Amino acid sequence: MSSTIDFGRAMLVVRPRGSRFSARIGVRTLVVCAALLTISVVTAVLALGSGDYLIPPLRVLRALVIGDERFDRLVVWDWRLPRILLALILGAALGVSGAILQSVTRNPLGSPDIVGFNTGAYTGALIAILTLGGGHLQTATGAVIGGLGAALVIHLLAFRHNVTGFRLIIVGIGVSSMLVSVNTWLILRADLDAAMSAAAWGAGTLNGLSWPQVGPAVVILAVLAIALVPAAPRLQILELGDDTARAFGLNVSRATLWLIVLSVAFTAVATAVAGPIAFVALAAPHLARRLARTPSIALGPSAAMGSMLLITCDWIAQHAFAPTTVPVGLVTVSIGGLYLAYLLVAEARRN
């Protein structure tokens, strides 16, 4: 593989040897991704050493690499590392999901939690928890089915007569509001213990997660990432508008539907594992685009920003109100709500 740098446009051109295909990657984009990942790793190391049993960063690294101190290794590997890994990979999944949806809708408010995909996944999980016993597999399956079902309803209602974008946001908000009512009714009808469990899970939390949840999440998200690779170039074409995309020979309806399915799948996996975590999918693509200064939504920086946001918010959730640990969803809602207000004001001024 060979690479050259186009200094005129600050682009890194990567071309495998003997291949006619090449990829152009912005140098600033690489720097931003590297910086975000570095911040995420540093935060992860600090989080691994924080808690009732404090471990200095050097001992955390020693426990990860060497593991000669048995109790340090037990605390780091068995008790804390699964939660940290899930925060990183689920944050990346939410960032990618939001980036896909904002590109497809060409709307800065295009986010799974605003459009209603998160709420649909929560509805499916609630049905599984309250009717099927609430096992992890049943809850995960219910969340995926609920998210895909909500996406299908929104797609059928919003894409009539080839009307997309803003209409999808409005229809999604309406469907989400109805599903919130359904979720409330399900919780009120349940017995007290099941209702409390469902409500706690619905706040979005990484508490109590362990290695059995890490493996399936990594495998499923890896498969989704592989499926996204050939579909990613269509995002930039769709951002040019439907007419221009058709002029390039792209089947707009099919490409849009497939990308929405991928967005829902990324969100559903995160919801199935940790519950509905709001506003990460909304804020990550915006912040990443501002830092990388890309002309369109970029998936790589969005994933890195999502990881950094979720691992940071989870650290705040664990230690800001110590000894009480709050669900990470409460922190993301608090911070994300302020960002949403700023975004609405900025869009109103722009229009």
Side-chain angles (χ1 to χ4, degrees), residues 178-307:
M178 290 187 290
L179 289 175
V180 168
S181 300
V182 173
N183 295 344
T184 304
W185 180 80
L186 288 173
I187 292 176
L188 291 176
R189 295 277 296 179
D191 62 83
L192 181 60
D193 292 338
M196 292 179 62
S197 175
W201 183 86
T205 179
L206 296 172
N207 297 337
L209 298 180
S210 57
W211 284 111
Q213 287 82 43
V214 176
V218 170
V219 171
I220 296 174
L221 291 177
V223 172
L224 292 175
I226 294 173
L228 180 60
V229 170
R234 303 173 189 174
L235 287 172
Q236 295 181 350
I237 299 177
L238 288 173
E239 287 187 358
L240 299 176
D242 293 349
D243 294 336
T244 304
R246 293 190 184 95
F248 278 102
L250 183 66
N251 188 323
V252 174
S253 298
R254 183 181 302 172
T256 299
L257 179 59
W258 175 238
L259 288 167
I260 289 177
V261 168
L262 288 176
S263 176
V264 173
F266 278 107
T267 298
V269 171
T271 305
V273 174
I277 299 176
F279 288 111
V280 174
L282 173 68
H286 287 284
L287 297 175
R289 184 175 182 177
R290 288 176 180 273
L291 289 177
R293 297 180 184 175
T294 55
S296 59
I297 298 294
L299 296 178
S302 298
M305 179 63 74
S307 293

Side-chain angles (χ1 to χ4, degrees), residues 54-332:
L54 295 175
I55 306 176
L58 291 179
R59 281 174 52 189
V60 169
L61 296 176
R62 187 178 182 87
L64 289 172
V65 178
I66 301 176
D68 52 352
E69 292 289 340
R70 292 186 177 181
F71 191 70
D72 284 359
R73 184 175 178 84
L74 174 67
V75 172
V76 171
W77 275 93
D78 295 347
W79 296 352
R80 296 175 181 172
L81 187 57
R83 179 187 186 126
I84 300 304
L85 290 178
L86 286 172
L88 293 172
I89 63 175
L90 297 184
L94 291 172
V96 169
S97 178
I100 294 173
L101 198 58
Q102 288 174 20
S103 294
V104 169
T105 61
R106 298 188 294 276
N107 192 308
L109 295 178
S111 175
D113 39 7
I114 290 180
V115 172
F117 299 163
N118 269 11
T119 312
Y122 184 31
T123 303
L126 272 179
I127 294 174
I129 292 173
L130 300 178
T131 61
L132 302 178
H136 181 71
L137 179 60
Q138 292 88 344
T139 302
T141 303
V144 173
I145 294 175
L148 291 175
L152 178 61
V153 172
I154 294 170
H155 184 273
L156 293 176
L157 294 175
F159 282 70
R160 296 176 59 187
H161 311 298
N162 294 323
V163 179
T164 61
F166 182 72
R167 178 167 178 166
L168 184 141
I169 305 296
I170 298 301
V171 171
I173 291 174
V175 172
S176 178
S177 299
M178 290 187 290
L179 289 175
V180 168
S181 300
V182 173
N183 295 344
T184 304
W185 180 80
L186 288 173
I187 292 176
L188 291 176
R189 295 277 296 179
D191 62 83
L192 181 60
D193 292 338
M196 292 179 62
S197 175
W201 183 86
T205 179
L206 296 172
N207 297 337
L209 298 180
S210 57
W211 284 111
Q213 287 82 43
V214 176
V218 170
V219 171
I220 296 174
L221 291 177
V223 172
L224 292 175
I226 294 173
L228 180 60
V229 170
R234 303 173 189 174
L235 287 172
Q236 295 181 350
I237 299 177
L238 288 173
E239 287 187 358
L240 299 176
D242 293 349
D243 294 336
T244 304
R246 293 190 184 95
F248 278 102
L250 183 66
N251 188 323
V252 174
S253 298
R254 183 181 302 172
T256 299
L257 179 59
W258 175 238
L259 288 167
I260 289 177
V261 168
L262 288 176
S263 176
V264 173
F266 278 107
T267 298
V269 171
T271 305
V273 174
I277 299 176
F279 288 111
V280 174
L282 173 68
H286 287 284
L287 297 175
R289 184 175 182 177
R290 288 176 180 273
L291 289 177
R293 297 180 184 175
T294 55
S296 59
I297 298 294
L299 296 178
S302 298
M305 179 63 74
S307 293
M308 192 272 289
L309 288 177
L310 190 55
I311 188 69
T312 303
C313 288
D314 186 53
W315 190 28
I316 295 173
Q318 290 186 75
H319 305 293
F321 306 97
T324 302
T325 300
V326 300
V328 65
L330 296 182
V331 179
T332 60

